[in-house]
Amino acid sequence: MRFNAAPAHVAEALLLDCHGSRRWAERVAAHRPYPTLDALLAAADEAGYDLTRGDLDEALSRESSGLPHPDAPPAARTALRAALAAYESSFGHAFVISLDGVPAGERLDQVLAAIRSRLGNEREEERVVAAEELRRLARTRLTRSIAAW
């Protein structure tokens, strides 16, 4: 795996593109070499579970809420913008969700349903959910980045 041989700053930059916590990226990069992609993903998961409040805040601040595809119906775009604004107002950070495995035609409905459901969470409960979604996103992004490298 070329990732193992990359200079630390290159590995950390790749990792930061997958998860916005600098400490997370440094920790995952520092534990190289990884014998397999699965071992790298396991280390990324473990590092994700050890985030401090500040690490999570940093990672969430680097995320942005996605907008629907421009071909989505205007009503759907409006509904999503309103839901995202309500979420960001309530929790102070972008809405994060992993849509890995969700068919493209179902993603908008999935996002809207998740936002509506998660708006009912208490702040601390939502931080736990957002942290889990970030871990899932990091796995997907990392898998794609390593495959493309």
Side-chain angles (χ1 to χ4, degrees):
M1 187 171 8
R2 289 181 47 202
F3 174 76
N4 288 329
H9 73 279
V10 172
E12 289 171 14
L14 177 137
L15 291 163
L16 272 173
D17 286 341
C18 299
H19 190 292
S21 165
R22 182 158 299 285
R23 191 171 77 89
W24 177 89
E26 290 169 352
R27 179 176 172 189
V28 174
H31 286 93
R32 294 176 301 157
Y34 295 101
T36 64
L37 176 60
D38 286 340
L40 171 58
L41 296 175
D45 281 346
E46 183 180 329
Y49 286 112
D50 292 338
L51 295 178
T52 66
R53 183 174 202 80
D55 297 334
L56 181 56
D57 288 343
E58 177 187 25
L60 288 170
S61 75
R62 293 182 183 207
E63 294 290 329
S64 61
S65 299
L67 295 175
H69 191 277
D71 293 340
R77 290 195 309 266
T78 300
L80 183 58
R81 275 193 222 91
L84 290 171
Y87 180 91
E88 291 172 10
S89 175
S90 292
F91 298 110
H93 59 78
F95 177 75
V96 291
I97 186 170
S98 172
L99 296 171
D100 203 28
V102 177
E106 297 174 20
R107 289 182 176 188
L108 180 59
D109 290 339
Q110 182 80 17
V111 170
L112 282 169
I115 292 171
R116 289 181 183 127
S117 170
R118 289 168 55 182
L119 276 169
N121 290 347
E122 296 294 326
R123 267 180 115 62
E124 288 308 309
E125 179 184 12
E126 182 54 25
R127 287 182 68 78
V128 171
V129 173
E132 177 60 28
E133 291 298 325
L134 277 175
R135 279 189 294 278
R136 293 177 62 204
L137 283 168
R139 287 181 66 88
T140 300
R141 292 168 178 167
L142 190 51
T143 299
R144 288 184 184 145
S145 293
I146 294 297
W149 203 4

